């Protein structure tokens, strides 16, 4: 069995941002030489997500609006967590959107449904953060 590990780094220009990282994960699969196996992709921070969905800008705006209704960023004082920090909303948004995805690798490719794409979801950005890519297979 082969295994492969790599970290992908992201610094977003905004506090909240979605980045399609599918191509970077595909490059990891290629680099690993694994043709049959599984790839785990997870955010290594508790204020960021990795999730699978459609790469459609309207949907991404819908996520932003829905998440802001669920856990509005402001006022910061509404959250007990915001003593020394201002990112309670980011922790909640990350929990809702998920920590990680696992994708099957078949024939050396990500075995996706027709519209599936992998996204990094940043909820407290403008600083260097990372995503773990871990693969096992043969
Ligand atoms: Zn915090």
């Amino acid at each position: 069995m082969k295994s492969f590990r790599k970290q992908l780094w992201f610094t977003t220009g905004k506090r909240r941002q979605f980045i399609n990282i599918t191509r970077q994960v595909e490059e990891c699969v290629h680099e690993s030489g694994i043709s049959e196996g599984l790839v785990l992709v997870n955010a290594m921070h508790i204020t960021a997500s990795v999730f699978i969905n459609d790469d459609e800008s309207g949907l991404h705006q819908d996520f932003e609006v829905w998440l802001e209704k669920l856990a509005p960023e402001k006022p910061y004082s509404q959250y007990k967590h915001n003593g020394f920090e201002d990112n309670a909303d980011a922790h909640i948004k990350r929990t809702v959107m998920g920590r990680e995805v696992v994708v099957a690798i078949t024939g050396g490719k990500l075995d996706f449904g027709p519209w599936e794409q992998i996204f990094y979801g940043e909820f407290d950005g403008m600083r260097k953060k990372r995503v773990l890519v871990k693969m096992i297979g043969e």
Side-chain angles (χ1 to χ4, degrees):
M1 188 195 77
K2 287 184 201 166
S3 78
F4 176 92
R5 181 184 190 273
K6 192 170 187 173
Q7 294 176 128
L8 306 175
W9 292 85
F10 301 96
T11 307
T12 60
K14 292 188 283 184
R15 180 179 169 107
R16 286 188 293 280
Q17 202 167 317
F18 296 137
I19 300 171
N20 188 334
I21 61 169
T22 309
R23 187 160 296 170
Q24 285 166 83
V25 176
E26 281 170 348
E27 280 164 14
C28 290
V29 173
H30 184 72
E31 196 182 324
S32 75
I34 291 171
S35 60
E36 296 293 319
L38 294 170
V39 57
L40 164 76
V41 187
N42 69 266
M44 296 181 89
H45 301 264
I46 52 179
T47 53
S49 290
V50 172
F51 63 94
I52 290 179
N53 219 302
D54 195 0
D55 194 0
E56 197 279 304
S57 62
L59 179 66
H60 294 184
Q61 288 169 47
D62 292 338
F63 279 139
E64 163 66 17
V65 169
W66 178 70
L67 287 166
E68 270 298 289
K69 277 183 200 158
L70 210 57
E73 178 189 341
K74 294 170 184 171
Y76 295 124
S77 62
Q78 72 189 303
Y79 300 106
K80 290 190 170 65
H81 179 69
N82 288 345
F84 298 97
E85 290 189 290
D86 65 1
N87 65 1
D89 70 300
H91 289 279
I92 295 168
K93 286 164 178 148
R94 175 269 164 92
T95 302
V96 168
M97 295 302 282
R99 170 184 181 262
E100 79 278 305
V101 300
V102 177
V103 181
I105 302 164
T106 305
K109 291 185 173 161
L110 297 173
D111 203 340
F112 275 146
W115 298 103
E116 289 187 308
Q117 295 283 293
I118 306 171
F119 293 91
Y120 175 66
E122 178 60 81
F123 303 111
D124 184 21
M126 297 180 290
R127 56 198 171 100
K128 220 177 161 195
K129 289 164 84 168
R130 64 207 154 118
V131 166
L132 177 68
V133 179
K134 179 83 184 193
M135 243 172 280
I136 52 170
E138 54 185 33

